[in-house]
Amino acid sequence: FLAASATSTSPSQAIQPVLELPYAAKDAKRAASAVPFQLPTQLISFSYTPDRVLEFNDSSLRYFVDPPRGAQLSYGYDRWVRRPEERGRLDSLLKAWQKFGTERPGVLGEVGVVSWRGVMTKILTAPYEERDDWELNVMLVGGTMYFEEHLSEEKLQSKNDVEPRHRIQMYYGYSFESWCTSESPSPASHSGNPSQPTSDGHPPGWGGDVNTNVQWCSVVKTKLGNTRMVIGGEVDCVRGRYTGKTDNFVELKTSLTIRGASDEARFEKKLIKFYFQSFLLGVPEITVGFRTPSGVLSTVQSFRTIEIPRLVRGKPGAWDPTLCLEWGDRFIRELRDAIDVHSPPDKRNDGNLSDLPVWRVSFSPKVGITVKQLDDAGIMDVEAGDDEQRIGFLPKWYVEYALD
Ligand code: 0WD
Ligand code: CA
């Protein structure tokens, strides 16, 4: 372990590190001991409506259709209804988890981690992350750790003020989702001449204008090593009929057309994120739309999620998923132990509700992770930002329910 240094970037966050996990050396020559990961199964699903209202139904679920080659991914850009960036609160996942627990009490046993899938993806891919740092807020309530992504004010700001060039690239991804999906399950593909408008005034194959408020989310249970986890995430569409299982879920991605060896290596590096993002929710298929720099869809290729590690093995951009699982398992166990040891005994689990400790995990690429307990100012910062009454970052209603 690195020597403990108590210097903090923001005076309001810090007490002192309670845990420092150095970067998992990816060139380690040891045989990675396989940490098992249980196939995820869906517990419950929900939808966000165009007005960003959460509903426990599948109204926002979309169905895969083959997109027209040559489709223009900038189509509809000026009509994009864009959801403002917000803090990655757990509230809707907790509502779903509570609903499941109320309807089917006691089926799951002790759950070690509750998190959005995007956060778990960041944790597992950390050993290979070379550029982006990230932070989490963590609370331990009744034996379960809750993870929330922490975005500083500057990070939130910069996510909202993206450059036009970057903004249109983000839109290409959402537009591809529209070209690839339909509101109803239908065997017909989006065929026809993409330059010829249909009766609704849109080119054939267009699945409807983009509104990023709309999402369909699946909540699954799984297990990493000995830790049972409940993970929620957005699912782009299903192939064929929806059965309530994850086995025909499809993740949609766009990427620049590969033109040479260095493009290929870059794509293979990117596949680690595609892989873990889908793997964590049990999504078996990733369909990638390759596009020109100006946003014309050139080719479409589907990958079977479980085959991706074999595809990159031995290549220039190679990565090893067993190392990530091992790192993730170690991260979870050591974080939990550190929190346990440093929580005042009277505030563990059934202690004073309003006073639960909140922990800040900070990850720096190529360095590793530090964990600190937030001081009062840090906790106030985490609690603020909306009208919900909170204990740390968790809604008060949820903490009361969880400890009941
Ligand atoms: O706003 C935030 N900072 C966060 C939002 C942080 C963490 C979670 N969330 C929300 C998500 O919007 C969603 O409602 O939690 C829910 C589940 O997210 P997830 O599935 O865990 O998120 P992730 O795996 O990171 O992303 C999945 C998809 C993305 O697809 P691509 O193919 O680009 O990976 O969710 C979408 C996006 O389509 N997405 C967003 N869309 C609009 N605004 C955002 C966002 N901030 N984040 C993810
Ligand atoms: Ca996607």
Side-chain angles (χ1 to χ4, degrees), residues 239-403:
R239 192 181 273 278
R241 304 236 154 223
Y242 174 58
T243 61
K245 297 203 188 107
T246 67
D247 48 17
N248 61 350
F249 289 3
V250 182
E251 170 65 35
L252 301 171
K253 292 282 184 220
T254 53
S255 197
L256 272 175
T257 308
I258 296 170
R259 292 172 168 274
S262 67
D263 286 356
E264 192 175 333
R266 214 167 326 171
F267 180 71
E268 284 158 3
K269 263 185 141 165
K270 223 158 71 174
L271 279 175
I272 190 176
K273 295 217 171 127
F274 294 7
Y275 171 74
F276 274 111
Q277 183 188 35
S278 290
F279 178 82
L280 282 164
L281 272 194
V283 177
E285 177 184 347
I286 303 170
T287 294
V288 181
F290 290 97
R291 62 166 179 87
T292 66
S294 62
V296 176
L297 180 63
S298 41
T299 55
V300 177
Q301 192 179 349
S302 279
F303 296 86
R304 290 185 53 78
T305 305
I306 53 164
E307 288 173 2
I308 289 176
R310 199 167 43 84
L311 230 81
V312 302
R313 201 177 298 157
K315 298 276 190 64
W319 39 269
D320 175 5
T322 59
L323 198 144
C324 297
L325 292 176
E326 205 187 339
W327 158 261
D329 179 53
R330 175 159 159 244
F331 169 81
I332 288 168
R333 284 186 290 106
E334 298 209 17
L335 174 61
R336 201 209 155 78
D337 289 350
I339 289 178
D340 240 347
V341 167
H342 291 88
S343 291
D346 61 320
K347 282 176 194 155
R348 270 183 223 167
N349 305 343
D350 54 359
N352 183 352
L353 275 196
S354 62
D355 225 13
L356 284 169
V358 180
W359 310 84
R360 171 73 43 81
V361 175
S362 306
F363 167 74
S364 303
K366 301 178 187 174
V367 178
I369 271 163
T370 59
V371 182
K372 291 169 183 173
Q373 186 176 352
L374 290 185
D375 62 15
D376 291 346
I379 291 179
M380 269 171 65
D381 176 50
V382 158
E383 285 176 346
D386 53 40
D387 292 338
E388 189 72 45
Q389 277 197 63
R390 295 191 182 276
I391 295 171
F393 58 83
L394 297 172
K396 186 160 179 274
W397 62 260
Y398 179 78
V399 177
E400 286 166 354
Y401 158 79
L403 292 178

Side-chain angles (χ1 to χ4, degrees), residues 46 48 52 80 82-89 92 115-122 148-149 151 156 159 170 173-174 177 212-213 215-217 231-236 251-254 274 277 281:
F46 60 87
Y48 284 111
R52 199 63 184 170
W80 177 14
R82 191 176 168 205
R83 174 162 72 94
E85 289 292 339
E86 55 200 31
R87 300 171 93 163
R89 294 295 196 195
S92 6
S115 170
W116 286 119
R117 178 266 311 268
V119 167
M120 287 309 304
T121 306
K122 287 190 169 142
E148 174 193 72
E149 182 171 16
L151 294 175
L156 253 181
K159 280 187 102 173
M170 284 170 71
Y174 296 121
E177 290 176 8
T212 39
N213 286 308
Q215 287 184 309
W216 184 73
C217 292
I231 299 175
E234 189 197 3
V235 177
D236 292 328
E251 170 65 35
L252 301 171
K253 292 282 184 220
T254 53
F274 294 7
Q277 183 188 35
L281 272 194

